[in-house]
Amino acid sequence: MENSNRPKIANVYRGTFIHSTQKTALQILEDELLGVDTDGKIAFTGRGTELVRLSQTFGFSPTEVIQLAKHEFFMPGLVDTHIHACQYSYAGTALDMPLLQWLNTYTFPVESHFKDLQFAHKVYSQVVKRTLRNGTTTACYFATIHTDASLLLGKIANDFGQRAFVGKVCMDRNDSVKHYKETNQESQEETCRWNIRILEKIQYPLVRPVVTPRFALSCTGALLGQLGAIAKNNNLHIQSHISENVEEVNLVKKMFPDSESYTDVYLKHNLLTDKTVMAHGCYLSDEELVLFRETGASLAHCPNSNISLCSGMLNVRNVLNHKVKLGLGTDVAGGYSASMLDAVRRALDTSKILTIQNPEYKTLSFEEVFRLATLGGSQALSLDDQTGNFEVGKDFDALRVNVAAPGGPIDLVQYSNVPLTIYFIFVSVASGLTGDDRNIAEVFVAGKKVVPFTEPTTE
Ligand code: GUN
Ligand code: FE
């Protein structure tokens, strides 16, 4: 019997689905059915052979089922757990300095331009479109210190249908670019204004505010404590950077002599919670990883940036062994690519370099990295009750991948009679080893098709 309270089925897809579960890093479901309801949620999944029964139970017509081609599959949307939307304006350039010099020379001067809303609109539209086209269905963004421009980023993500966490950056300390900082009071007041404005925009259902102290070196202890209190009182997400570069770690030790470690600095200021995501973590000790696990805080692994700025290499195996939640991030523009498929490749490369250095090191498999880019990212952002894989009840955030896309790197047709090869092509495109945005035919967020999108007439 059909339950009349149940939302109606909007679309039913049939074909190959690839996703990760807690138990299995990569599961391939062939001839699978998946129904999406009018709320954008996955209403049911089942075998293709169960079509008649499922159509009767869920009240849809078998003739309306959308059949994927043999060379297509669905995978969960990619989750970028760390990206600086403002830095997209110079991505792919200026990677010739280590972190702190890079921030002072390039980053802070560029970010200060975002008080100009026209400039902000241009860059933020570009980064949202580029990441969506590359399959990023959820992005955890740093904006700049400017509240109105940060609100604009939220609006643009919402307008294009991307799920987004957006952080107005907070920093009341900057000795090198003195005009690019706030007073302590401004930072607090503007963070509150920002949170309230975003939260009251109920028309932005996919956008959430995230409390964003830039990193310990950019904030006084007073501001860190105030931001921790704002996050706690409003039950908000928190994002920042931690243990990215040796010079930074040493300076943090000097600046916060009462703390036992970098992690302890954030812990003491109530900034390490189960809704915290910290980028990098290359130099965290085992004791610090234990603090992450105990608080439920997560890490964003940003391999492109770690290498591009010669910052370090995260020992992902050790993080996973400590059962710390972990996702991948592009960290544009420390990372030069805005594509999560690149983050997948760089995560594999880093892991292989660690194995070259130490043959005992257990290299990450591409199945594991696929999981980090999808379900792992959702877990890191505490979104895994809502997104990350194709479990019933979750939002349908998905990529329709066409491994034989014209102009794409793989012409499947020549292999189409070789099932084993098809399997490898499927998994390698899915894990980002050979695919690119030309293979991403459609992108869905909460059931809604957001790629291809129509270009707005003005930007
Ligand atoms: N640490 C503080 N700010 C930044 C930033 O903008 N990028 C990176 N990679 N690290 C940071
Ligand atoms: Fe960063």
Side-chain angles (χ1 to χ4, degrees), residues 82-84 87 142 241 244 279-280 302 305 331-332:
H82 185 80
I83 172 166
H84 297 259
Q87 295 174 18
F142 275 58
H241 298 87
E244 177 175 0
H280 305 285
C302 305
S305 166
D331 194 24
V332 164

Side-chain angles (χ1 to χ4, degrees), residues 134-156:
N134 280 277
T136 301
T137 50
T138 300
C140 190
Y141 287 118
F142 275 58
T144 59
I145 63 172
H146 312 96
T147 308
D148 291 329
S150 306
L151 283 164
L152 191 56
L153 173 57
K155 177 181 181 333
I156 291 166

